[in-house]
Amino acid sequence: LRPPQPWRMFASRLRALPRRSDFLGLARWALDKPIRRQVILPSSSAACRSFASLPHDDAEDVIHTSSASQSTITRAHTPLDPQHMALGHGPIPPARKLCSMGTGEVVHVLSYEAREDANVDRFERVVQRIAYDLHEMDAGISDVRVCHPRCGEATFVVTVVSKFESERFNGEIAPRITAALRDECVGGNPSFSRTGTLMPQAHSLDSLIDHLRTSITGTNHHEHDIVGVRHEIAKWFPRREEYEQFVHWDDHDPTKYTRNVIHSTEEMEVLLMCWPAGCKSLIHCHDESSCWVAAVEGHVMEVQYQLPKMDRKFFKDAMTNPTGAIGRCGALKVSNVVPLGLPDSPAETYANNEIGIHRIENRSEQPAITLHVYAPRLRKMKIFHEAGDHSIATVAAVSYMSEGGEKTGLWGRDTHPDGVIDVKAWNQVLSSGGVL
């Protein structure tokens, strides 16, 4: 009797794979047990014999070289801000990880080389059959590529849709590919193997601003590609070293949030806002501007309100005193609450006056940082104060803690982060019960 050919062994083992339900116990174990990603980087053309373990977004990344003098590189957490720590705010939570922004797909790469004394034709036949069967697999597989550099070499690149499917591939398919080629390949193992989460297309801070400068045009929010800009902002992966210079906290009042200019032109302004634990902005509008907001560190809540009707006195005052007009309006009604930056929530949102007015709140016990894009540049806005069954509104000019990473010197002990308010007129209205 002739011994079974390697490709027949591989095909029969594929057909004998356990049902999906058989993997449920393994999946539960994988979810409960922390897994460290280990990637083997060859320092030369020498073969790597180790398989990479499954990626795990919540575990630290450890990279080992296969050279004689191994070095270990561990992904660092977000560095602490000394100024922030000095103010007693506590550590800043670590930023999200790059691959968490992607689809969650996992790529497996396996390369094999035929032995010098092996029958290359037999190696090629086995590779051909393996490639055929991989292309026939569709459950849990999103892409299959087979690279054929030359006769006697083959690289399989298989992309699966999730970490669960990656566990299946690593535990079942990869060993069977190796078993089918063991008698024909160098060392009986892959000459190269790597597993990793599929890296998404992601902006740096510079590339994001460059893109926004060319893509945001127009004089008001009606002229903006709202969805397109939001999509690009969502592709930004914040790295602390990129925006560190724009992080400033209020030395006089550690409970106030700060507004810090990253980029500013008449058409667009990009701000970094720093939110101490428990702080919140006043309820405000955005005039004719679009407002995109993205969570950078920590998480915040965007509370949206319907834009109330203003009284005629407000509009009369606005004609003569555009940065100090004050008036009455109807009660403020919450229309939506959007968490930003939580694991299962979006990282960005959008607002304009047709959608409503809003406030940003840091309801957590940790500081938070957000990115804000206004187009055109926001120079004044209406702010609203809830007073029972009615509300009071005024116009405020915007204040900044820093511009281009340098403190403006205009942010003092009495500066309100929501803008320069006509305090006397505001207090007069409040003390009179809202009667103007």
Side-chain angles (χ1 to χ4, degrees):
L1 294 175
R2 295 174 59 189
Q5 297 184 20
W7 67 265
R8 293 187 184 278
M9 296 171 59
F10 174 74
S12 64
R13 288 169 178 171
L14 278 182
R15 288 193 292 270
L17 281 177
R19 296 186 303 274
R20 186 183 186 90
S21 59
D22 295 336
F23 293 98
L24 292 180
L26 180 61
R28 295 190 186 99
W29 174 86
L31 290 173
D32 292 337
K33 183 177 179 61
I35 302 173
R36 290 171 53 159
R37 181 192 304 173
Q38 192 174 58
V39 178
I40 308 300
L41 297 177
S43 59
S44 65
S45 59
C48 295
R49 306 301 181 208
S50 300
F51 282 99
S53 64
L54 287 176
H56 193 282
D57 286 337
D58 295 329
E60 62 186 31
D61 292 345
V62 182
I63 300 177
H64 297 283
T65 64
S66 60
S67 61
S69 57
Q70 289 191 342
S71 61
T72 300
I73 305 174
T74 302
R75 174 178 290 176
H77 291 294
T78 302
L80 299 181
D81 180 354
Q83 179 190 9
H84 181 84
M85 295 292 289
L87 294 173
H89 292 298
I92 295 176
R96 57 185 172 172
K97 295 183 179 179
L98 177 58
C99 289
S100 68
M101 298 169 58
T103 61
E105 294 169 280
V106 181
V107 182
H108 294 259
V109 181
L110 298 170
S111 292
Y112 298 86
E113 296 179 22
R115 298 196 325 266
E116 291 185 3
D117 60 343
N119 185 320
V120 174
D121 288 338
R122 187 163 57 238
F123 176 89
E124 292 292 317
R125 287 198 302 272
V126 176
V127 166
Q128 182 178 339
R129 181 51 194 255
I130 292 172
Y132 178 86
D133 286 335
L134 287 175
H135 281 294
E136 286 293 300
M137 296 172 62
D138 50 16
I141 305 292
S142 58
D143 188 65
V144 173
R145 303 296 170 100
V146 181
C147 178
H148 195 230
R150 60 182 177 85
C151 288
E153 289 186 16
T155 298
F156 304 97
V157 182
V158 181
T159 305
V160 297
V161 297
S162 66
K163 288 184 288 186
F164 174 79
E165 300 297 345
S166 179
E167 178 87 14
R168 291 186 64 194
F169 186 90
N170 250 358
E172 298 291 334
I173 305 302
R176 292 176 185 182
I177 294 175
T178 299
L181 286 167
R182 178 162 290 125
D183 294 337
E184 315 299 333
C185 68
V186 175
N189 279 307
S191 58
F192 176 86
S193 67
R194 186 75 57 85
T195 299
T197 306
L198 189 64
M199 182 176 176
Q201 182 188 26
H203 275 299
S204 66
L205 183 57
D206 287 341
S207 71
L208 174 62
I209 292 176
D210 287 343
H211 182 90
L212 296 179
R213 283 191 303 184
T214 58
S215 62
I216 297 181
T217 58
T219 59
N220 60 69
H221 61 79
H222 294 285
E223 303 175 31
H224 297 149
D225 179 6
I226 294 169
V227 175
V229 172
R230 181 172 177 175
H231 178 69
E232 293 300 322
I233 292 174
K235 288 159 58 176
W236 176 44
F237 177 67
R239 295 186 184 275
R240 200 40 146 69
E241 61 269 19
E242 287 188 311
Y243 60 84
E244 181 96 53
Q245 60 178 316
F246 308 111
V247 177
H248 295 279
W249 305 90
D250 193 308
D251 297 329
H252 305 292
D253 186 350
T255 65
K256 290 196 304 191
Y257 79 92
T258 62
R259 305 165 63 89
N260 305 279
V261 180
I262 297 175
H263 171 84
S264 183
T265 63
E266 287 299 324
E267 294 76 24
M268 179 189 72
E269 188 166 61
V270 182
L271 303 182
L272 199 71
M273 297 194 187
C274 302
W275 305 88
C279 82
K280 59 185 177 182
S281 71
L282 292 177
I283 303 167
H284 60 276
C285 78
H286 298 98
D287 202 27
E288 292 297 314
S289 298
S290 283
C291 171
W292 292 271
V293 183
V296 179
E297 293 181 12
H299 59 272
V300 297
M301 307 294 287
E302 183 205 19
V303 184
Q304 299 173 351
Y305 301 80
Q306 299 175 13
L307 181 64
K309 291 292 185 180
M310 311 296 298
D311 65 6
R312 289 182 292 179
K313 184 181 186 305
F314 178 87
F315 292 106
K316 289 179 181 178
D317 284 355
M319 296 294 291
T320 58
N321 188 14
T323 60
I326 191 167
R328 295 173 63 181
C329 61
L332 298 173
K333 299 178 181 179
V334 174
S335 59
N336 197 15
V337 178
V338 181
L340 298 176
L342 290 172
D344 296 323
S345 70
E348 70 291 324
T349 188
Y350 172 82
N352 63 43
N353 281 7
E354 290 187 0
I355 295 174
I357 57 180
H358 75 177
R359 79 179 340 151
I360 301 296
E361 302 180 2
N362 182 1
R363 298 179 180 178
S364 74
E365 297 180 355
Q366 297 292 335
I369 297 176
T370 53
L371 183 84
H372 298 245
V373 178
Y374 300 105
R377 180 171 59 179
L378 191 64
R379 280 291 170 256
K380 61 184 177 68
M381 58 187 178
K382 302 181 188 73
I383 58 176
F384 300 84
H385 176 80
E386 297 170 289
D389 59 354
H390 68 282
S391 302
I392 300 170
T394 188
V395 175
V398 180
S399 305
Y400 301 106
M401 162 67 80
S402 68
E403 294 186 12
E406 300 294 330
K407 290 188 176 181
T408 61
L410 303 176
W411 187 288
R413 187 182 302 274
D414 299 322
T415 300
H416 198 289
D418 289 292
V420 180
I421 305 171
D422 187 337
V423 178
K424 182 177 180 181
W426 179 275
N427 290 338
Q428 182 179 357
V429 173
L430 294 181
S431 64
S432 60
V435 180
L436 296 175

